[in-house]
Amino acid sequence: MFNRNRFLRRVAAIASISLVAGCSLLSDGDPDSKGPIVVGTTSAPSTLDPAGAWDGSWELYRNIFQTLLAYPNGATTPQPDAAESCSFTDSGSRTYRCKLRAGMKFADGDPLDAKAVQHSIDRIRTINAPGGPAGLLGSLDSVDTVGDREVVFRLNQPDATFPFVLATPAMSIVDPDDYPANSLRKDTKVYGSGPYELQSYEEGEKAVLVRNDHYDGFAKRQNDAVTIRYFQDSASMVKALRDKQIDVTYRGLAANDIIALQQHGDSDLQLVDGTGTDISYLVFNPKDPWAKQPAVRRAIAQVVDRGAIAHKVYRDTVDPLYSMVPKGLTGHSTDFFDDFGEPSVSKARKILLDAGITQRVPLTLWYTTDRYGSETALMFQELKRQLEDSGLFTITLKSRPWKTYVVGYQNGEYPVFGRGWFPDFPDADNFIAPFVGEKNALGTPYDSKQITSVLLPRSRAQSDRAKVVKDLEAAQQIMENDARLLPLWQGRQFVAANDDISGGEQALDPSTIMMMWELHRKTSW
């Protein structure tokens, strides 16, 4: 979960900037008057249609679409946005009712009513796009409308996390006139009802956002326009920042660039280091003759040195992770450390020998070249070194760009592959539920009836999330025993900006999605 106090404590001004520049990112100011704020990122959208993406595309969606619920500045639980009010109307958390704000409109002036909300949610399940967010709606039975302003969600089981689901950008409200009920929209036009209108879009290059005059929601826009530029790597993005071609960088800063900014300093740049809940992990394919064997997976878990990865590859800009649920969330455990301890070749060899495996295990590890930062290739080289140096494995590395990489793992082509996860919402449930079941976010079935039929349903029936710790810990223990997923590290969020930019701390919601409307230029010192 995003920890506001820790974020404020960890604000780091670079070298000679000292306190003055450090304060500039957090201080108040007037809306900018020098053209659009330009934000750089290495995470480009995979599609402009919310029904087709369960990935970093959400960063753009949050700013051009609305959801019924979202996170105003400082909130850690969902609050009304397009909705005027939302609540469960029964004691069993199975009927959830929202009332829309009056007179809502899309950016093109079309009315946003209850039917538009129903259409937006129903098409996600109807289309059921590969890599899409339909899996988030597993507890939804039906969507009904009452008049023009009321929407009723009927659930097939109690689900106290459903408001969090509605607050994800996957549930963006779209215009029924522009978005087909049975297929994804293919062009680059977008008409949402969010703080911004998408004026133009060049795939892989930039998205130009301008103020949406029809917007009605909680956001208090501190600027009139934002341009998002998409970069292939951190080095080119940081160069653009130094050259004043962009104002802010977010997502994709490489460890070397972070360290350089921290150590060497620039008199006109600032760096903020904040808590993150994004994670990196390996996925084992149960259809592969070697990866399907528990002994192989557990031997790998016994050999992998997370500390070395965090230190040697990421230069301590990430932290070792010993559970799929990251530190900072209620229910986090350390099962992989508790059961495996420090890396040990002798223990790994015994695991294999006890299973009758005496030869070197041949495995191919896959990673994507353009999604999770420039260190990804280095991390997989380090994994290859660790596993082969044990004398127990023979590792082949292969890679693809994200768009074809996704197709490959959805088709079950990879024996072992790397993934990252940015949370849909700040609850431990979201680091367990998306990865289990026949249909999950990985495209790799993971059948665990105890988790899917007992532990998750029981925990979702409890609205007080502090009371579900035992069930969440039990689910993590099962995942550790199975070792179908191997957590590697937990990230931190770094925002680098020119010293005249303010609002960076306020711009991150609890899922660490950037709310661009919080950014602005200082007009005076």
Side-chain angles (χ1 to χ4, degrees):
M1 183 179 294
F2 180 77
N3 186 316
R4 179 183 174 89
N5 292 329
R6 181 183 171 207
F7 202 120
L8 288 169
R9 288 198 302 271
R10 294 186 68 108
V11 171
I14 299 177
S16 60
I17 303 175
S18 190
L19 182 61
V20 175
C23 290
S24 74
L25 192 62
L26 302 176
S27 60
D28 294 328
D30 298 324
D32 67 274
S33 57
K34 301 178 183 178
I37 303 288
V38 184
V39 179
T41 177
T42 60
S43 183
S46 59
T47 172
L48 296 185
D49 191 328
W54 197 348
D55 58 26
S57 306
W58 290 9
E59 200 89 52
L60 180 60
Y61 301 166
R62 176 61 79 203
N63 292 278
I64 58 178
F65 293 104
Q66 267 183 298
T67 45
L68 290 170
L69 302 166
Y71 300 95
N73 183 17
T76 56
T77 57
Q79 305 295 319
D81 186 13
E84 179 181 280
S85 61
C86 288
S87 64
F88 283 106
T89 58
D90 65 330
S91 58
S93 299
R94 294 185 61 160
T95 302
Y96 197 73
R97 184 181 295 260
C98 290
K99 184 176 182 179
L100 291 171
R101 296 173 186 259
M104 296 289 290
K105 294 181 180 180
F106 290 101
D108 62 355
D110 284 355
L112 190 166
D113 56 15
K115 288 294 184 184
V117 176
Q118 182 185 43
H119 173 83
S120 301
I121 305 300
D122 281 345
R123 69 189 296 268
I124 293 172
R125 297 194 299 168
T126 299
I127 295 170
N128 195 19
L136 283 169
L137 295 170
S139 65
L140 179 62
D141 186 45
S142 65
V143 186
D144 300 311
T145 62
V146 180
D148 291 335
R149 292 179 57 196
E150 290 194 44
V151 187
V152 181
F153 301 92
R154 305 189 191 282
L155 309 183
N156 53 38
Q157 59 184 320
D159 188 358
T161 70
F162 190 71
F164 289 94
V165 172
L166 289 181
T168 67
M171 305 302 139
S172 295
I173 304 169
V174 300
D175 191 336
D177 291 341
D178 299 319
Y179 290 81
N182 301 309
S183 62
L184 297 177
R185 184 171 176 170
K186 301 298 184 184
D187 60 25
T188 58
K189 301 292 184 183
V190 170
Y191 293 108
S193 61
Y196 299 101
E197 180 179 351
L198 184 64
Q199 186 178 69
S200 64
Y201 180 76
E202 298 174 39
E203 184 174 357
E205 296 293 333
K206 66 180 179 180
V208 178
L209 282 56
V210 296
R211 177 184 288 257
N212 172 16
D213 292 333
H214 291 297
Y215 172 69
D216 182 12
F218 65 74
K220 294 178 173 59
R221 289 165 292 195
Q222 301 297 314
N223 60 70
D224 289 324
V226 172
T227 296
I228 305 172
R229 285 188 52 191
Y230 301 111
F231 292 85
Q232 293 297 310
D233 55 61
S234 174
S236 58
M237 184 168 66
V238 171
K239 183 179 186 303
L241 180 68
R242 294 184 189 280
D243 293 344
K244 306 296 184 183
Q245 295 173 355
I246 62 176
D247 299 300
V248 183
T249 68
Y250 184 61
R251 294 222 194 279
L253 280 175
N256 287 340
D257 290 319
I258 293 168
I259 298 301
L261 289 169
Q262 288 174 331
Q263 292 181 345
H264 302 298
D266 292 85
S267 61
D268 55 355
L269 294 179
Q270 52 189 311
L271 182 71
V272 168
D273 171 1
T275 304
T277 50
D278 58 302
I279 66 172
S280 177
Y281 57 97
L282 294 179
V283 183
F284 294 90
N285 187 346
K287 295 181 180 179
D288 180 79
W290 288 106
K292 73 177 183 181
Q293 300 186 49
V296 170
R297 302 194 298 264
R298 293 183 64 80
I300 291 174
Q302 185 64 75
V303 169
V304 167
D305 187 340
R306 296 167 177 81
I309 291 171
H311 181 67
K312 293 171 59 176
V313 178
Y314 290 93
R315 301 185 68 180
D316 300 315
T317 61
V318 303
D319 299 314
L321 182 64
Y322 297 94
S323 168
M324 290 298 289
V325 176
K327 293 175 289 185
L329 293 185
T330 299
H332 164 73
S333 68
T334 55
D335 290 319
F336 276 90
F337 185 81
D338 298 341
D339 288 359
F340 291 101
E342 296 294 337
S344 170
V345 173
S346 61
K347 289 181 180 179
R349 181 179 291 109
K350 184 177 187 305
I351 291 171
L352 293 174
L353 289 175
D354 287 349
I357 300 172
T358 57
Q359 68 177 91
R360 273 183 175 253
V361 175
L363 281 173
T364 299
L365 274 56
W366 282 82
Y367 63 92
T368 179
T369 58
D370 58 353
R371 194 64 176 180
Y372 302 121
S374 55
E375 291 92 357
T376 303
L378 298 176
M379 180 180 75
F380 275 80
Q381 290 168 17
E382 173 63 14
L383 285 169
K384 174 182 170 71
R385 184 197 67 76
Q386 291 180 11
L387 294 172
E388 291 196 331
D389 283 359
S390 73
L392 304 174
F393 301 93
T394 299
I395 303 298
T396 301
L397 297 181
K398 291 188 177 182
S399 61
R400 285 176 176 169
W402 177 253
K403 282 200 170 184
T404 53
Y405 183 73
V406 171
V407 175
Y409 71 66
Q410 289 172 347
N411 290 336
E413 297 177 17
Y414 311 148
V416 185
F417 61 97
R419 279 293 309 266
W421 185 253
F422 293 93
D424 304 323
F425 51 84
D427 190 284
D429 178 288
N430 193 237
F431 289 87
I432 298 172
F435 310 132
V436 296
E438 284 299 309
K439 292 184 178 180
N440 58 44
L442 303 173
T444 305
Y446 177 9
D447 186 18
S448 179
K449 291 293 191 295
Q450 181 66 12
I451 295 177
T452 58
S453 300
V454 179
L455 297 174
L456 288 179
R458 190 163 63 200
S459 70
R460 288 174 174 177
Q462 177 57 256
S463 58
D464 184 350
R465 305 307 289 164
K467 295 181 179 179
V468 302
V469 170
K470 288 186 177 180
D471 282 338
L472 296 175
E473 289 178 343
Q476 290 170 80
Q477 184 64 62
I478 292 171
M479 296 172 82
E480 183 273 323
N481 290 339
D482 294 341
R484 284 282 307 278
L485 307 168
L486 184 65
L488 297 173
W489 54 258
Q490 175 177 351
R492 303 206 300 270
Q493 296 303 321
F494 292 90
V495 177
N498 291 322
D499 63 358
D500 67 339
I501 296 296
S502 296
E505 182 267 331
Q506 294 93 336
L508 300 180
D509 79 3
S511 297
T512 65
I513 290 176
M514 182 169 277
M515 302 178 290
M516 304 295 179
W517 59 85
E518 294 286 356
L519 300 172
H520 55 94
R521 289 191 175 88
K522 287 188 63 66
T523 56
S524 63
W525 290 90

